[in-house]
Amino acid sequence: MLDWAFDKGHRARFVENGEMLQPLRMRGHGVHGHMDYDERYAPFFKRARLLGFVLQFKRQPPTLVHAAMTTLIDWWRPETHSFHLPCGEMMVTLEDWAMITAMPIEGHALTGRVERTNWQQRVATLIGNCPATKGNHTSGVLLTWLSEHRCWKYALEKTCPEGADETTVEWYARAYLWYILTEVVFSNSSGNSANRSYLFFLADWEAGYSWGTASLAYLYRSLDDATQRTGDQSNMGGFVWAFSIWMWERLPVGRLEKMPRRPWGAYSKDGDETRHPTVAYEWDVVKLYTGLNKTSYKTYTNELEDLTHMQVNWWPYHDREWDFDLNVMCDADRGLWRCIVPMICVYAIEWHLPHRVATQFGVYQHTPPGQPTDTGGHALHL
């Protein structure tokens, strides 16, 4: 079932042939500084069903273990969107994604035609300003500019001014969410620009988009691309923070030691379940690891090759006890977690194939039946 077009350039092929590759560099957020959150933005984010997601990023995220994540990526197969491990197949499912990110699964696909005509004027309409483009840079704006965003009404104000009218607050809220989405969730390999496509999906707060399926599709596509990157300076984009949490939840390889969590209470309001944390709060504070990436990469590779079925956490999240209240969005769309469905993120259309990892849902794993049993191959991806 292996697709030769994928397999011939796969990182695992080089490792198998004895070539020691460098670990990939994960495009984690925080590279360009940050934008200041304002509580006045919350009503807008709540209307978009993204408040729980946003509140995760008012805090310092845990350190990414690049070498461990690269080791796992070496076992990813684009044909099935799963990790083919010695103990069986595993994948990041919609259940994992909802429980970790609190992004909505139910909703409209992030798709449609993105017009270039007058895109700067349309950006300015949505966030109150837009910089002049340089050269061929027409896909969006630089993240460095966006992190310093100032609307035209308050040219000297980096943050939303006190006493600003509702339209201005909405501009700043939209700019903030655009920054978070493009820096954290839909980051590209260059990691320096905010694609305008994602801003236009924020024009209507009640549009009801399925941000969960879109972001997971983008992660799948990023993992597919990462398996083909073998250069010394190679990196990977996508929602790597959530991917890291998934790895710590499921596998012992590269898992950092948990430390006492910081109080979440400052972000909560009585009775508002959209403000509660997600499963990621389990890893709020972890003990930092120091060491050479290349040496660790070899160690983690050996550990993963020896991984047994008993070392893996297969348990569904609802079978576990949590000592904090989970965000209401974590299981709001649980009826869709096991859907066999193509997930859409603008140009990336990726199959979700949970029937290949039934054990992760507490169900006995049979041989995956029928079609689709794979993602269509290299030609369909192109």
Side-chain angles (χ1 to χ4, degrees):
M1 92 188 285
L2 296 182
D3 188 316
W4 174 244
F6 280 130
D7 202 50
K8 66 180 179 181
H10 200 293
R11 289 179 58 89
R13 185 63 62 204
F14 290 83
V15 175
E16 184 182 34
N17 292 333
E19 184 171 340
M20 192 61 194
L21 302 176
Q22 291 286 344
L24 296 167
R25 180 70 184 174
M26 306 297 153
R27 283 284 180 185
H29 56 291
V31 177
H32 304 284
H34 67 280
M35 295 183 71
D36 293 327
Y37 176 83
D38 192 306
E39 188 56 37
R40 288 174 291 175
Y41 305 161
F44 299 107
F45 299 158
K46 198 169 183 179
R47 288 162 60 187
R49 300 181 296 164
L50 289 171
L51 179 59
F53 157 75
V54 169
L55 290 180
Q56 313 299 312
F57 300 98
K58 289 178 62 178
R59 309 159 73 81
Q60 180 66 33
T63 300
L64 300 175
V65 185
H66 302 267
M69 296 171 73
T70 302
T71 301
L72 186 57
I73 291 167
D74 290 346
W75 293 81
W76 177 261
R77 293 307 313 188
E79 298 91 342
T80 58
H81 288 156
S82 60
F83 301 102
H84 288 209
L85 300 173
C87 58
E89 286 186 61
M90 300 190 76
M91 69 172 61
V92 186
T93 67
L94 285 173
E95 177 185 15
D96 294 303
W97 214 237
M99 297 297 287
I100 293 171
T101 69
M103 298 183 100
I105 307 300
E106 173 75 28
H108 301 295
L110 265 69
T111 187
R113 187 176 182 87
V114 181
E115 298 286 352
R116 291 187 179 184
T117 307
N118 299 324
W119 72 267
Q120 289 173 290
Q121 290 90 329
R122 287 184 286 135
V123 167
T125 299
L126 292 174
I127 65 171
N129 202 351
C130 186
T133 56
K134 297 181 180 179
N136 296 323
H137 195 82
T138 59
S139 62
V141 305
L142 292 175
L143 281 171
T144 49
W145 178 88
L146 188 56
S147 66
E148 299 286 331
H149 170 257
R150 297 171 171 84
C151 76
W152 62 269
K153 277 188 178 181
Y154 300 91
L156 299 179
E157 298 286 348
K158 176 183 174 182
T159 57
C160 188
E162 293 294 331
D165 58 44
E166 185 175 1
T167 298
T168 301
V169 174
E170 185 173 5
W171 283 342
Y172 275 92
R174 195 174 279 121
Y176 180 91
L177 186 53
W178 185 25
Y179 177 85
I180 290 291
L181 288 171
T182 51
E183 170 74 344
V184 175
V185 181
F186 302 109
S187 61
N188 56 30
S189 57
S190 65
N192 62 5
S193 62
N195 192 307
R196 66 180 189 275
S197 303
Y198 303 110
L199 173 63
F200 297 150
F201 290 119
L202 300 176
D204 179 4
W205 296 107
E206 273 96 13
Y209 287 111
S210 176
W211 290 100
T213 56
S215 57
L216 187 54
Y218 195 88
L219 177 71
Y220 280 6
R221 179 57 63 92
S222 299
L223 288 167
D224 292 347
D225 293 343
T227 64
Q228 309 297 308
R229 297 185 176 183
T230 57
D232 290 346
Q233 302 299 319
S234 296
N235 55 49
M236 174 182 148
F239 202 169
V240 294
W241 173 81
F243 174 45
S244 177
I245 298 295
W246 178 87
M247 185 175 182
W248 292 343
E249 277 289 319
R250 296 290 187 180
L251 304 172
V253 178
R255 180 184 288 161
L256 299 183
E257 180 184 349
K258 293 181 185 178
M259 305 297 287
R261 297 191 296 262
R262 295 164 294 182
W264 184 266
Y267 307 120
S268 298
K269 286 186 178 179
D270 290 342
D272 191 347
E273 296 179 327
T274 63
R275 290 176 168 271
H276 292 165
T278 72
V279 167
Y281 186 45
E282 278 281 290
W283 306 93
D284 184 48
V285 181
V286 292
K287 190 173 184 179
L288 298 181
Y289 170 82
T290 57
L292 293 175
N293 259 350
K294 190 170 184 178
T295 303
S296 302
Y297 178 41
K298 187 173 183 178
T299 301
Y300 293 140
T301 298
N302 293 335
E303 289 181 12
L304 205 51
E305 286 176 353
D306 294 331
L307 191 69
T308 67
H309 186 275
M310 298 300 295
Q311 293 175 290
V312 175
N313 180 8
W314 299 97
W315 294 106
Y317 296 93
H318 58 77
D319 286 347
R320 299 166 57 188
E321 293 185 2
W322 309 93
D323 59 0
F324 54 87
D325 294 324
L326 282 174
N327 194 289
V328 68
M329 288 301 298
C330 287
D331 63 357
D333 300 321
R334 64 183 307 159
L336 303 177
W337 288 347
R338 295 179 63 184
C339 286
I340 301 173
V341 62
M343 303 181 296
I344 301 173
C345 180
V346 192
Y347 66 88
I349 295 89
E350 304 291 346
W351 276 97
H352 180 244
L353 305 173
H355 61 301
R356 303 192 63 90
V357 293
T359 312
Q360 290 181 219
F361 295 92
V363 182
Y364 183 79
Q365 179 68 61
H366 295 277
T367 302
Q371 294 291 332
T373 56
D374 61 50
T375 61
H378 190 261
L380 182 59
H381 275 67
L382 293 180

